[in-house]
Amino acid sequence: MKIISAPSPLGLWANVRSVGAFNVAYSFVALWAFVKVLRALRWRLKTTQLRGPPRTSIIYGVSYDLALSQDRGRMYERWATEYGVAYMIPSVLGQTRIVLCDPRAIAHFYARETWTYVQTPLSLALLETSMGRGLLWSQGEDHRRQRKALTPAFSNAAIRKLTSVFYDSAYKVKGAWDTAIESSKDGDAVIEVQNWMNHVSLDTVGIAGFSHDFGSLDGKRTSVTEMFDSTFRANQQSSAVNRVFILFASAFPIITKIPTKRMNMFKNFGVIMGEISNDLLTRSRREKDMNMSGGDEEKSIIGLLVKSEGQDAELHMSKEEVVAQIPDILQMKVLLLAGYETTSISLTWALIELSRHPDVQTSLREELLAFGADPTYDQLKANLLYLDAVVHEVLRLHPPVNEFNRLAAADDVIPLSEPVRTKSGEMTDSISIAKGTSITVSSAAINRSSAIWGPDAKEFKPDRWLTEDGISEKAKEVQGHRHLLTFVDGPRTCLGKDFALTEFKTVLSVLVKNFVFEMRDGPDTPVEIVRGILPRPRVVGEDGIGVPLRIRRYE
């Protein structure tokens, strides 16, 4: 007879515990799924269901197509032509985004940013990891308070005092290029200009913002330049993996907590920025303590931040906020994006476009030479109309940041300037937005839209800025600086806009007045977009971010 022993009390209890743990886990999963279903039903009921392109991938929707595209703005514009000024696009794992291509809708959207429309969880995670909880990361009242504390450093009076710094950097470039041309037998030299524009912007930000000379124009290697180079190489070496990582992280931001190579890169970026911030902050505090006798009101960025630490300051910021802000401003939001990216990218595009259009380059040089001496800050703003036209045409065609994605933090109704057809076939002149809806605005699409700017919207034509009818009535409906979304609009309008424009005009005026630029391989040389921190131009066939131009002195 087979004897079956009774289970031990400990074994029985272990089984009960395992079953209990399974039930708890199952309950949590069921609850999570139930909440997701409820949210999806609510979103579908409260959000106007719009037409849009079909998904090209079950997993990615159309997101992977956008990630691979050399010109996302053109894709968004094509869809707007087919589906109307507001439409839906399928995104990762069944998600949906609403794209706005209508000036009235975009004005409504930007007016409510940081409150009704906020950063996506993915953006917040990446910003916090790499840059801290500074101005870029903050929302609502925190953003308003921090921005108000920083605004005086970007006033006309403050930028006027910094114009000489911009000229100093521009003339350092001139001196280096003169030397390169003198050593050439042919009276010209092939110079890779994008790295030079990086150095100009970085040194300018360092001196004007923090009274710190990074010395990159003098050939010094810094942690910032090394970090940029390593970041770009890492992005290029694993671009396909990076795209997939970001696409899935948009659906599951928790993925950013996984210690992947890319996330470690973001963390290292944050560590280096923190070291630079602490060094600048310590030095500024020391100088403040040594100069207690008063003097001129402090207008430098770092000086303003140190001042804001005082307990008696009207707009007090915590030590953590102060440390986060030091690399997180100057148009510039962060030292790298500002000093290395946005302005240097725009300057590079300006030299490319002038090389492609020698007639425009000649007209600009004639205006600058006729003016004579280096223009002052006020003259740069008001007296050089063709320089202003060239600068804004570059910013129109090549905005450094191509698109913005936000999340609705509350239900809303967005008005449209023209009706669109919904999925059900009805026409509507407004769209309902449910809390949790993803919204996309493409600055590149709006800046270059043929429907908004006319049939020559894709052409480089600075003359459009010089006549009253050069800007179409539809373009004038775009509420942004000079009817562009390059500096966005609303509460997050670029704080360093005037700084960036003055630096742009100063550097360009010195270079164009002294040198003639040509594409090394002719005006039809193809240029592609490569993705680093931000999209950058590169001559096809070059390594890294190479933009080699043939440069000679203007005699």
Side-chain angles (χ1 to χ4, degrees), residues 226-351:
E226 290 172 357
M227 176 183 58
F228 172 80
D229 291 343
S230 63
T231 300
F232 181 83
R233 286 194 300 271
N235 276 338
Q236 293 304 300
Q237 290 168 0
S238 57
S239 57
V241 175
N242 289 340
R243 282 192 290 267
V244 172
F245 176 87
I246 290 298
L247 289 175
F248 277 105
S250 66
F252 303 105
I254 192 67
I255 291 176
T256 60
K257 302 298 182 183
I258 300 174
T260 62
K261 185 176 181 179
R262 182 179 180 84
M263 287 313 301
N264 287 337
M265 181 183 69
F266 274 104
K267 290 178 181 178
N268 290 337
F269 171 62
V271 169
I272 294 173
M273 287 294 97
E275 291 172 353
I276 295 171
S277 302
N278 284 324
D279 176 64
L280 294 171
L281 182 58
T282 300
R283 179 163 51 83
S284 185
R285 284 175 179 149
R286 189 186 306 122
E287 292 173 358
K288 176 186 174 187
D289 293 338
M290 292 172 63
N291 184 23
M292 299 296 291
S293 58
D296 294 338
E297 182 183 0
E298 180 60 69
K299 288 294 184 181
S300 72
I301 293 173
I302 191 169
L304 184 66
L305 291 172
V306 170
K307 181 180 177 182
S308 73
E309 283 190 278
Q311 292 294 331
D312 296 330
E314 180 183 356
L315 293 166
H316 173 65
M317 284 196 286
S318 69
K319 180 179 178 180
E320 180 186 12
E321 287 177 322
V322 171
V323 172
Q325 292 307 327
I326 290 175
D328 195 33
I329 46 184
L330 262 198
Q331 142 159 58
M332 297 159 188
K333 315 196 173 171
V334 290
L335 186 61
L336 184 142
L337 287 180
Y340 243 19
E341 295 287 280
T342 52
T343 309
S344 65
I345 290 172
S346 295
L347 282 166
T348 303
W349 273 118
L351 296 180

Side-chain angles (χ1 to χ4, degrees), residues 361-528:
Q361 185 180 161
T362 298
S363 296
L364 176 57
R365 186 176 297 108
E366 289 174 351
E367 178 187 66
L368 294 168
L369 291 172
F371 190 84
D374 289 333
T376 64
Y377 167 79
D378 295 289
Q379 290 167 339
L380 283 168
K381 291 193 73 171
N383 295 70
L384 293 160
L385 299 184
Y386 201 69
L387 174 62
D388 184 80
V390 168
V391 164
H392 283 90
E393 186 69 347
V394 171
L395 293 173
R396 184 185 72 83
L397 283 176
H398 308 290
V401 182
N402 288 329
E403 67 183 67
F404 299 87
N405 298 305
R406 295 292 183 262
L407 198 68
D411 294 349
D412 193 24
V413 176
I414 299 179
L416 303 174
S417 62
E418 60 183 83
V420 296
R421 189 178 301 279
T422 67
K423 278 186 177 180
S424 62
E426 299 175 354
M427 300 298 291
T428 180
D429 57 6
S430 65
I431 55 175
S432 297
I433 301 294
K435 179 181 178 179
T437 302
S438 295
I439 306 287
T440 293
V441 173
S442 170
S443 52
I446 301 303
N447 284 2
R448 302 196 296 254
S449 167
S450 298
I452 294 175
W453 289 87
D456 60 357
K458 309 296 187 297
E459 300 175 29
F460 181 72
K461 292 182 63 176
D463 287 351
R464 77 175 74 244
W465 299 94
L466 301 176
T467 60
E468 181 63 28
D469 59 354
I471 308 298
S472 71
E473 292 303 316
K474 191 68 176 178
K476 291 176 182 177
E477 294 178 13
V478 178
Q479 294 185 23
H481 171 74
R482 302 291 288 273
H483 313 299
L484 300 176
L485 293 185
T486 305
F487 296 105
V488 301
D489 196 19
R492 285 194 181 273
T493 297
C494 177
L495 189 60
K497 171 175 62 65
D498 200 37
F499 184 107
L501 286 171
T502 306
E503 180 185 1
F504 194 168
K505 290 181 179 181
T506 300
V507 175
L508 198 60
S509 68
V510 170
L511 297 182
V512 171
K513 193 158 57 173
N514 289 282
F515 300 104
V516 177
F517 302 91
E518 299 173 354
M519 301 298 290
R520 182 192 59 190
D521 303 316
D524 297 327
T525 299
V527 175
E528 63 184 349

Side-chain angles (χ1 to χ4, degrees), residues 112-233:
R112 288 155 178 77
E113 215 189 344
T114 84
W115 299 94
T116 303
Y117 299 102
V118 299
Q119 299 270 20
T120 65
L122 174 60
S123 295
L124 290 175
L126 295 178
L127 286 170
E128 184 176 8
T129 299
S130 58
M131 305 171 198
R133 298 191 172 196
L135 187 65
L136 271 183
W137 181 89
S138 61
Q139 308 274 11
E141 182 58 31
D142 284 342
H143 180 270
R144 187 202 67 80
R145 177 173 56 86
Q146 292 183 21
R147 186 181 174 95
K148 186 175 181 179
L150 297 171
T151 297
F154 298 97
S155 65
N156 288 341
I159 305 304
R160 185 178 287 110
K161 295 177 182 178
L162 297 176
T163 306
S164 61
V165 174
F166 305 149
Y167 276 118
D168 288 344
S169 294
Y171 276 105
K172 279 188 176 182
V173 177
K174 177 187 178 300
W177 289 3
D178 278 336
T179 301
I181 293 170
E182 284 174 5
S183 63
S184 170
K185 296 178 181 178
D186 302 323
D188 60 27
V190 174
I191 296 174
E192 199 292 286
V193 299
Q194 186 146 219
N195 273 323
W196 281 101
M197 298 305 100
N198 288 345
H199 299 332
V200 167
S201 298
L202 179 62
D203 283 4
T204 299
V205 165
I207 296 171
F210 313 118
S211 300
H212 176 77
D213 188 359
F214 287 101
S216 62
L217 283 169
D218 300 319
K220 294 180 182 178
R221 294 289 295 177
T222 70
S223 56
V224 177
T225 55
E226 290 172 357
M227 176 183 58
F228 172 80
D229 291 343
S230 63
T231 300
F232 181 83
R233 286 194 300 271

Side-chain angles (χ1 to χ4, degrees), residues 33-90:
F34 181 68
V35 170
K36 284 289 186 181
V37 169
L38 284 182
R39 286 178 177 175
L41 288 173
R42 182 184 185 277
W43 177 84
R44 182 167 289 277
L45 290 171
K46 301 207 69 166
T47 301
T48 303
Q49 299 299 299
L50 300 169
R51 300 181 303 153
R55 64 177 60 252
T56 57
S57 165
I58 296 175
I59 297 175
Y60 302 118
V62 297
S63 296
Y64 202 77
D65 302 294
L66 287 166
L68 289 176
S69 174
Q70 280 277 304
D71 191 348
R72 296 187 191 187
R74 193 179 290 270
M75 292 183 69
Y76 286 124
E77 182 185 0
R78 187 180 77 245
W79 289 332
T81 302
E82 186 172 354
Y83 301 109
V85 295
Y87 55 87
M88 286 178 167
I89 60 173

